Amino acid sequence: MKVLALDTASDILAVALMTDAGWAEASLNLGLKHAERLMDLVDFCLSRAGLKPEELDLIACSGGPGSFTGLRIGMATVKGLSLAL
């Protein structure tokens, strides 16, 4: 199973990708700049794992507690990716 997980609830933006072969992760301490760098980290993890977005089985994000705006960024990204794929 290939799982992409996002955490945008705090100042630290974290993205992790787990596959049967291993995992890739990236995190940045960005403050209020999650929306600007989130897809860059997603692309980074996918490229490290050698996957295309359409190969993902599950996309998840943290549900809080945390910054309301940060949580909205994560939820909207997961929803947008899910609908597109």
Side-chain angles (χ1 to χ4, degrees):
M1 181 169 238
K2 298 164 191 84
V3 180
L4 177 68
L6 314 175
D7 185 358
T8 57
S10 67
D11 287 348
I12 298 172
L13 169 62
V15 176
L17 176 64
M18 187 180 82
T19 68
D20 294 332
W23 55 275
E25 61 86 22
S27 62
L28 294 171
N29 190 349
L30 293 175
L32 301 175
K33 303 211 185 276
H34 289 27
E36 296 174 23
R37 298 297 305 274
L38 179 56
M39 289 309 297
D40 292 337
L41 289 186
V42 169
D43 288 339
F44 174 77
C45 287
L46 286 170
S47 67
R48 282 194 70 188
L51 293 177
K52 295 178 183 175
E54 54 271 11
E55 295 178 273
L56 294 170
D57 296 312
L58 179 68
I59 306 171
C61 71
S62 62
S67 154
F68 176 73
T69 301
L71 292 170
R72 276 191 329 177
I73 290 167
M75 302 267 180
T77 301
V78 166
K79 186 175 181 178
L81 285 171
S82 297
L83 289 172
L85 300 173

